[in-house]
Amino acid sequence: MISSLRLLNFKAFENQLVEFKSLTLLSGYNSTGKSSVLQALSLLHQSHQQSLLQNTGLLLNGNLVNIGTANDALYENAKEDYVGFELILKNETKGIWHFNYNSLEREANFLESGFNSVDADVYQSSIFNGQLYHLQSERAKVASGILNYQRRELRQIGALGEYTAHFLYTYGGQPIPIAELAHPEAKSINLIDQVEAWMGEISSGLRIQVNAHLDMDLVNLKFSDHVGYGITYVLPIIVAILASNPGALILIEHPETGLHPQAQTKLGKL
């Protein structure tokens, strides 16, 4: 579990320490860097996922997050030409990564490794070796989707929730990993029934049906009632929470968007 993350010369931050608990809420005005904190964790994860982080560098655009160019990553008034992250875990192990910024390659989508100092156990932690879901503030329509490598091989629902339909088709019949999250009135402990039960807390009586058209590699979700934006927005959040293994890291931007305050309270209980 993460104890703290320091951001150095990254986007809006020259030197910012962020401390974490099992549930951490970031609030503040627009454009103050809340999303940048989540992006930093996803950048580290996706770079490690592609076997780049240890010796090569930082992948700025990948399956979890896209932040643009090297120039976009660097703090505007940086006094030194590097972007840095310092991660401390609850067991006091630490990882420090500095990535060099080259002014001649401002438009690059990659930052090369500079100084690294990483304890051996860090890469075995859940942020690198476990599940990580990062749901961005935008959402794709989740009613249907095409089979995709990220969904099948990496158990991802997509940064926009775009693989949610196929995720439910593939894993919906499996028990949720954390039994304590089970809804007491669900039909079973399986993911699809648990998702339906928790979605019913937000929209009473809601039912979800997963329909597959394998000849076209297409899966779509059918809801019992006409649903609004808030329901389709929150569905990937509930799927990510219920599908996560113990120790998984779930990063959610604007989880309350489109939800009635009472529905926000229900989501908070989960």
Side-chain angles (χ1 to χ4, degrees), residues 65 89 105 133-134 231 240 242 259:
V65 65
L89 304 179
E105 298 180 357
Y133 297 109
H134 183 174
I231 297 300
L242 292 174
L259 291 180

Side-chain angles (χ1 to χ4, degrees), residues 18-88:
V18 182
E19 296 182 335
F20 292 87
K21 303 295 183 183
S22 56
L23 175 63
T24 302
L25 303 178
L26 303 177
S27 63
Y29 293 112
N30 292 339
S31 301
T32 55
K34 301 184 299 297
S35 295
S36 297
V37 176
L38 308 187
Q39 290 170 353
L41 294 170
S42 289
L43 287 173
L44 290 172
H45 181 90
Q46 73 184 18
S47 299
H48 177 70
Q49 201 175 65
Q50 298 297 321
S51 302
L52 299 172
L53 185 61
Q54 288 177 279
N55 300 305
T56 308
L58 189 70
L59 181 64
L60 301 179
N61 301 297
N63 65 292
L64 285 175
V65 65
N66 298 277
I67 69 165
T69 67
N71 196 56
D72 296 322
L74 185 71
Y75 174 61
E76 184 177 6
N77 298 313
K79 298 180 178 66
E80 298 180 80
D81 286 340
Y82 76 91
V83 170
F85 304 118
E86 298 181 1
L87 182 72
I88 299 178

